[in-house]
């Protein structure tokens, strides 16, 4: 929720500053939209370690869990 709120606030500030300047910088708009979309995608992809593009190997965590179970 915090990430989505920060994206909305930064988009609103970018829009407000473009309105105050009376000119729209298309390159700045496109770059900020791409960066914000990529950040959201990477965070959501890391949140699901078993599916998605970024796969995280769970073997070290499974081995740690097994070693902690042994008396």
């Amino acid at each position: 929720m915090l990430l989505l709120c920060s994206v909305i606030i930064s988009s609103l500030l970018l829009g407000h500053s473009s309105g105050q300047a009376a000119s729209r910088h298309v390159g700045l708009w496109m770059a900020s939209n791409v960066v914000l979309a990529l950040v959201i995608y990477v965070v959501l992809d890391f949140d699901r370690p078993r599916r998605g593009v970024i796969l995280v190997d769970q073997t070290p965590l499974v081995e740690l869990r097994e070693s902690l179970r042994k008396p």
Side-chain angles (χ1 to χ4, degrees):
M1 291 302 294
L2 181 62
L3 178 62
L4 292 176
C5 288
S6 64
V7 166
I8 290 170
I9 290 171
S10 64
S11 297
L12 289 172
L13 288 174
L14 183 61
H16 181 69
S17 67
S18 292
Q20 292 290 327
S23 66
R24 184 179 289 177
H25 303 284
V26 178
L28 178 63
W29 276 88
M30 291 301 293
S32 67
N33 287 332
V34 167
V35 167
L36 293 174
L38 286 174
V39 166
I40 290 173
Y41 178 76
V42 167
V43 168
L44 291 177
D45 199 30
F46 272 138
D47 190 43
R48 291 163 179 84
R50 295 182 189 207
R51 357 179 274 228
V53 177
I54 303 170
L55 299 176
V56 179
D57 186 23
Q58 299 293 317
T59 306
L61 293 175
V62 172
E63 291 173 355
L64 177 64
R65 182 181 66 193
E66 293 301 320
S67 71
L68 292 174
R69 285 186 181 174
K70 294 179 183 178

